[in-house]
Amino acid sequence: MTTDRRVLVHPDRAALAASVAARFLTKVIDLIEDEGEAHIVLTGGSVGIEVLDAIAGSPARNSIDWSRVHVWWGDERWLPRDDDERNEKQAREALLDHVPVDEAKVHPFPASDAGLSLEEAAAAYEAELRAAAREGEKHPVFAITFLGVGPDGHIASLFPERDGPTVTTIGVIAVHDSPKPPPERLSLTLPLINTSERIWLVLAGGDKAPALGLALAGASPADVPVAGVLGRKRTVFFIDQAASAEVPEALVMPTSYWTGAMDQKDWMPGGS
């Protein structure tokens, strides 16, 4: 199985969100047709939620059999279930409340008011991953994992100069020292993220350009966590023009962005 990294540059945030949404809808339809279901990992952040908004706003959303989609999260803030800052709540308001998902297949991280410690919550999410896995496996096969990227290069809740990016086990960790509030969080580890077949990183803004440039130039994941991201089949950075300032030209795909009207083979060699 081959894997590579590619960068797709979009003229602005609106085009970025619309393009990723269109690609997601087409890919999930194909995945369900081929495999019967699709395990998707969502991210928080403003651009990630804009993508979910664009998916919800597309008429093509009704072409997906949402009952066959499992929804996971890459990380979560340790807050009460109804807190507006939880990634889960934002994703539900943007997309999940508007499509007929099977609630049994929506897998949010435990909330701080669930009666668990942070470590117990991490163990509980690992147990939920095992329960949804194929026989003999410890976690499901993630077909698409969405990630945002912070200006410091963090992904999920794996921050530079913290222990998170250097954890070598496939699993879920409790984060006690996030430099962004709240300090306590839950996160998939980088080795678990990298079991994903496809990792789609979605980022916008000139403040992300330095971290992206360092990541693509081979920085240490301990210093720039996004540098350690590599999906099993494909890793795609969907970015806007502002975030592209320091991207090596050789990594930029010749087609700036994809829309539903374009043939997949014209958009990305080998599909995604």
Side-chain angles (χ1 to χ4, degrees):
M1 181 179 295
T2 60
T3 185
D4 62 2
R5 286 175 167 177
R6 290 292 184 268
V7 179
L8 294 174
V9 182
H10 304 71
D12 53 42
R13 287 176 70 119
L16 169 62
S19 176
V20 176
R23 181 59 184 169
F24 173 83
L25 290 163
T26 299
K27 192 63 189 177
V28 171
I29 291 168
D30 290 344
L31 286 166
I32 292 173
E33 182 178 343
D34 293 343
E35 302 175 23
E37 64 178 7
H39 288 262
I40 307 299
V41 180
L42 301 183
T43 184
S46 58
V47 183
I49 299 303
E50 286 173 27
V51 170
L52 299 187
D53 274 325
I55 294 170
S58 171
R61 80 182 197 194
N62 297 322
S63 300
I64 289 179
D65 182 351
W66 290 96
S67 70
R68 295 179 179 271
V69 177
H70 283 262
V71 180
W72 304 87
W73 276 265
D75 74 318
E76 186 57 274
R77 300 172 175 93
W78 188 237
L79 296 167
R81 176 71 68 192
D82 289 334
D83 195 289
D84 289 341
E85 294 301 309
R86 272 182 63 90
N87 292 336
E88 176 201 355
K89 184 171 184 182
Q90 293 176 14
R92 287 186 180 277
E93 291 175 347
L95 174 63
L96 301 180
D97 289 347
H98 308 287
V99 293
V101 291
D102 179 351
E103 276 298 323
K105 296 178 181 177
V106 177
H107 309 277
F109 279 98
S112 64
D113 54 357
L116 302 173
S117 70
L118 195 60
E119 283 72 19
E120 288 170 340
Y125 208 61
E126 285 196 3
E128 191 160 355
L129 287 162
R130 283 194 299 272
R134 297 169 181 169
E135 186 175 355
E137 301 294 329
K138 294 183 177 180
H139 57 82
V141 177
F142 299 138
I144 300 172
T145 292
F146 283 107
L147 290 174
V149 181
D152 60 356
H154 83 266
I155 51 162
S157 284
L158 307 177
F159 294 92
E161 301 180 0
R162 300 291 193 276
D163 292 337
T166 62
V167 172
T168 58
T169 55
I170 293 176
V172 181
I173 58 170
V175 177
H176 291 276
D177 57 354
S178 164
K180 292 181 61 178
E184 294 185 319
R185 297 162 175 247
L186 294 159
S187 183
L188 306 187
T189 64
L190 185 57
L192 178 51
I193 289 169
N194 284 346
T195 66
S196 307
E197 292 186 334
R198 302 160 191 83
I199 300 178
W200 292 4
L201 299 104
V202 186
L203 57 152
D207 60 334
K208 310 293 179 68
L212 179 57
L214 288 170
L216 295 173
S220 166
D223 299 325
V224 185
V226 65
V229 173
L230 191 65
R232 288 186 170 178
K233 288 186 176 180
R234 195 171 298 275
T235 307
V236 185
F237 294 83
F238 298 89
I239 69 176
D240 69 352
Q241 192 66 46
S244 70
E246 300 183 33
V247 174
E249 185 175 347
L251 293 180
V252 177
M253 293 295 292
T255 301
S256 294
Y257 62 99
W258 182 89
T259 70
M262 296 171 61
D263 192 300
Q264 292 181 27
K265 67 179 182 297
D266 296 327
W267 179 75
M268 180 174 292
S272 68

